[in-house]
Structure formats: structure tokens, C-alpha cells
Amino acid sequence: IFEAAKPELNLSADQEQKIKEIFKDLRDERQNLKDESGDNMQDDMRANRRQAKQKIMDVLNADQQKIIQQHLNEWRNKTS
């Protein structure tokens, strides 16, 4: 979803770097959870995605947040 919205966001270099770090941390954390493969792995992965989404939203300005939210809503409508 983020990649689809990225051209519309007009991210600054600083924003782009911060978001890359958030995605890297998310990938690393997902790998750690897979390696541990505990009973709550799916719940933990969902929680990590929510945290990453919030961190990304915190990096974006209000207009950019609206664009992301619009893409999320479109994606949800397609998958419902």
C-alpha cells in the first residue's frame, strides 16, 4: 500500500530515510518472531505492523496521512 501511494506523497529526503528505517526494523522484528515462532506469533506480527503504521503516520504531514489513509481504505474495500 505504501509503495502504491509513495509517488503521491512527495516525501522529503528525511522522511524517506526515516520510513526506510521503520520498514527495516519491521522486517528485522518479523524475522525474529518467525525464528521464535511462539504461540502468539500472528498476534505479535499484527501488533508490529500496527506500531510500524503509527510510526510512519507520525513521520508524515497531515496531507500525506490523508493520502495513505485513502489508499488503505481503497485496499480494504477491494479485500472485503
Side-chain angles (χ1 to χ4, degrees):
I1 294 169
F2 182 79
E3 286 301 318
K6 191 174 175 183
E8 297 173 57
L9 296 175
N10 297 317
L11 298 171
S12 69
D14 184 53
Q15 286 176 313
E16 195 152 342
Q17 183 60 38
K18 287 178 182 178
I19 290 170
K20 281 181 184 179
E21 290 173 19
I22 293 167
F23 278 122
K24 181 189 177 305
D25 291 345
L26 177 63
R27 282 191 302 276
D28 292 347
E29 190 61 34
R30 289 178 91 183
Q31 188 58 51
N32 290 340
L33 289 171
K34 285 180 183 179
D35 292 344
E36 294 171 11
S37 63
D39 294 337
N40 297 323
M41 184 176 74
Q42 291 298 327
D43 291 337
D44 292 342
M45 287 182 144
R46 269 192 289 278
N48 283 350
R49 280 193 305 271
R50 278 192 300 272
Q51 288 174 342
K53 178 187 171 205
Q54 186 56 54
K55 287 178 184 178
I56 290 169
M57 295 301 263
D58 291 344
V59 169
L60 302 177
N61 66 38
D63 291 335
Q64 292 167 325
Q65 289 174 2
K66 288 177 190 174
I67 292 168
I68 286 290
Q69 197 57 51
Q70 200 172 14
H71 280 267
L72 284 169
N73 292 340
E74 289 171 9
W75 177 79
R76 285 184 188 124
N77 289 337
K78 287 180 185 177
T79 60
S80 308

